[in-house]
Amino acid sequence: MFGLTGVAFAALFQALGIGLFISGSYGAPAYVYPMHVHLSYGETDMQMVVTWTTYNSTDSVVEFGSTYLSNVVKGQVTKFFDANDTNRIWYIHRVTLQDLKPGMKYYYHCGSDQGWSDLFFFTNRRTDINWAPWIAAFGDMGSVNGRSIPRLQEEVAKGTIDVILHVGDFAYDLDSNGGAMGDAFMQQIESIAGYVPYMATVGNHENAMNFSHYKQRFSMPGDNQGIFYSYNLGRIHFVSISTEVFYYTQYGTAQNETQYNWLKKDLEKANEPKNRERYPWIVVLGHRPMYCAIADTDDCDLVRDKVRVALEQLFYEQGVDLEIWAHEHEYERMYPMYNYTICKGSEAYPYKNPAAPVHIVTGSAGCQELHDTFLPQPKWVAKNVLDYGYTKLKAINATHLYLQQISDDKVIYLLLVNLLS
Ligand SMILES: [Fe+2]
């Protein structure tokens, strides 16, 4: 009636203190409400990082506390374009919560004075030597046919999982449909990742635009945009690496060497006596396996597998205990292996004091590519399962690391591996 433009309306509403923003002639919606809320570990055990997305620019604020939301922390926002669709813009918000107490439960919400998320909560990691968290590990989980998502949601809600390790290949893919598939996936996992840390390892399905969706959407420790990093949890030293540096060399031929040098230093430090005593288990997470018995003839079923050629010797020399891989859509547990040689602790107890690392492949959390096909089971494969599902592990103490394989098809498999250090 007064011929006000959308901009003038917005200015009027702002002047009146009404939290409504209008753009365009008819008031296009403003996407200022937090989406894709997820947690990840920070640099120290007193930190937790909260990451979320908005489609419009807002401030980045988390309000949190153990009884009420008495702490206010501001963070950073990164504007992110998809190079294939410059009309799509994401604002990725990252806030690091500091000075968290061991084992304390905290409530939080995130957003800004333009809109807040639901109320979430998490329990900060403990630092005492007796803490043995339940850790879920898997790879290759998509928006479509993400079979393990419901059980993971239920386990997290019931407190039977303390942290998630997603070992590459997200959403299928994070950048598909102009990023809409990634958005759907991040929303699907919010009911998991808003409550326990969701630690990411990069896979081949994240390769588009130099892994930019992966680097932007997740916030991992270290300064390498989540490509490689390490952290301690309970009695485990976790090391997450990129196996894609051996395949996507168009993004840099030095990245392999850069990662190797970092990895060698990290493992040498983890093996300093005081560190290995406190964190006796060293577990490596990488997407493409060194060993598998799968009929796809492109990587881990080749003796000259690139990851194995580059890294097996280092992991063997540095006393890595367990290597968790994915990429193949199935579950395989190997006997302790080095250079295609079985290194059992003994015939009766193959996993007791083994002379080489144990490998598992756990890439069956479910995606639109369904399952892979096993080759005839070689003698170095101790167990293989085609069911959808995920792995749970727990470092019970300095001498026992316990693994389960959970089936989302029918029954729960409990596949025990006892590793004695
Ligand atoms: Fe993969």
Side-chain angles (χ1 to χ4, degrees):
M1 53 186 163
F2 297 108
L4 285 177
T5 64
V7 172
F9 266 124
L12 177 62
F13 277 116
Q14 277 187 281
L16 293 172
I18 300 172
L20 175 64
F21 291 81
I22 298 174
S23 62
S25 300
Y26 299 101
Y31 295 98
V32 293
Y33 299 98
M35 303 176 292
H36 316 160
V37 178
H38 58 281
L39 299 170
S40 53
Y41 289 127
E43 301 297 331
T44 75
D45 49 29
M46 297 168 71
Q47 296 179 339
M48 188 73 84
V49 180
V50 184
T51 307
W52 71 95
T53 304
T54 54
Y55 292 146
N56 286 81
S57 177
T58 71
D59 288 339
S60 310
V61 183
V62 172
E63 296 180 331
F64 76 101
S66 55
T67 51
Y68 55 98
L69 306 182
S70 53
N71 303 287
V72 181
V73 193
K74 290 189 175 177
Q76 295 180 326
V77 59
T78 306
K79 189 176 182 180
F80 170 46
F81 288 94
D82 185 321
N84 288 334
D85 183 354
T86 52
N87 291 319
R88 295 295 306 275
I89 300 171
W90 292 263
Y91 291 88
I92 308 292
H93 304 263
R94 294 180 171 87
V95 173
T96 302
L97 312 187
Q98 308 275 2
D99 301 323
L100 302 175
K101 294 193 172 73
M104 178 74 81
K105 185 174 182 178
Y106 291 94
Y107 297 87
Y108 75 98
H109 71 168
C110 60
S112 70
D113 59 9
Q114 296 181 52
W116 293 97
S117 71
D118 286 343
L119 187 65
F120 294 92
F121 56 84
F122 66 88
T123 301
N124 192 40
R125 57 182 146 171
R126 281 166 47 186
T127 53
D128 58 279
I129 205 164
N130 295 319
W131 187 47
W134 271 116
I135 298 156
F138 56 85
D140 307 75
M141 191 168 78
S143 279
V144 177
N145 196 35
R147 294 291 190 92
S148 292
I149 291 176
R151 194 191 296 271
L152 291 168
Q153 290 169 322
E154 191 159 6
E155 285 225 56
V156 167
K158 290 178 176 174
T160 53
I161 288 176
D162 296 296
V163 58
I164 302 279
L165 313 179
H166 189 145
V167 192
D169 285 4
F170 303 78
Y172 287 74
D173 296 338
L174 291 172
D175 62 292
S176 295
N177 302 340
M181 192 69 91
D183 287 356
F185 178 80
M186 297 306 290
Q187 204 57 44
Q188 278 173 295
I189 65 165
E190 188 184 79
S191 55
I192 301 166
Y195 300 91
V196 298
Y198 200 93
M199 303 304 286
T201 296
V202 72
N204 57 300
H205 274 267
E206 288 71 69
N207 78 85
M209 296 162 282
N210 195 8
F211 302 89
S212 60
H213 275 264
Y214 170 85
K215 291 173 179 174
Q216 292 294 336
R217 290 177 186 270
F218 294 104
S219 309
M220 293 300 115
D223 53 5
N224 299 290
Q225 296 185 289
I227 298 301
F228 52 84
Y229 61 93
S230 66
Y231 59 100
N232 299 317
L233 195 67
R235 303 212 67 180
I236 302 175
H237 180 67
F238 278 111
V239 185
S240 176
I241 61 166
S242 169
T243 54
E244 305 317 301
V245 297
F246 305 109
Y247 289 87
Y248 294 97
T249 52
Q250 68 268 37
Y251 297 134
T253 51
Q255 52 182 346
N256 169 4
E257 190 180 345
T258 304
Q259 175 173 261
Y260 185 91
N261 292 338
W262 171 86
L263 190 51
K264 187 166 186 293
K265 259 189 204 167
D266 185 88
L267 291 172
E268 285 172 352
K269 189 176 174 194
N271 272 304
E272 289 174 9
K274 71 175 190 318
N275 293 332
R276 196 75 198 244
E277 186 181 349
R278 175 63 184 84
Y279 304 103
W281 302 101
I282 298 180
V283 177
V284 170
L285 306 159
H287 182 62
R288 297 196 205 214
M290 292 187 188
Y291 295 100
C292 69
I294 298 295
D296 64 5
T297 67
D298 63 353
D299 35 42
C300 54
D301 52 339
L302 304 176
V303 173
R304 295 296 298 168
D305 169 76
K306 292 179 182 179
V307 180
R308 193 181 74 79
V309 168
L311 298 177
E312 183 175 37
Q313 184 68 25
L314 178 66
F315 293 166
Y316 176 71
E317 288 172 357
Q318 295 294 329
V320 169
D321 296 292
L322 177 65
E323 300 175 25
I324 299 177
W325 312 99
H327 188 54
E328 309 299 344
H329 302 160
E330 39 84 22
Y331 173 79
E332 281 181 293
R333 171 163 52 86
M334 321 303 169
Y335 287 115
M337 289 285 287
Y338 170 64
N339 196 25
Y340 271 89
T341 304
I342 298 172
C343 302
K344 292 179 185 175
S346 66
E347 208 49 51
Y349 301 102
Y351 296 104
K352 182 174 180 179
N353 285 327
V358 173
H359 296 246
I360 66 165
V361 178
T362 179
S364 55
C367 69
Q368 65 210 41
E369 294 180 359
L370 309 181
H371 288 302
D372 285 302
T373 307
F374 288 126
L375 292 170
Q377 189 169 338
K379 61 185 179 183
W380 38 267
V381 174
K383 181 75 179 176
N384 60 20
V385 178
L386 260 191
D387 290 11
Y388 290 109
Y390 53 91
T391 304
K392 286 181 75 174
L393 64 147
K394 177 194 274 272
I396 296 169
N397 51 36
T399 57
H400 287 70
L401 184 66
Y402 177 75
L403 281 84
Q404 297 177 340
Q405 186 63 18
I406 307 296
S407 168
D408 282 310
D409 282 4
K410 43 187 187 294
V411 296
I412 296 180
Y413 286 100
L414 300 177
L415 307 176
L416 181 64
V417 179
N418 284 330
L419 299 175
L420 301 191
S421 61

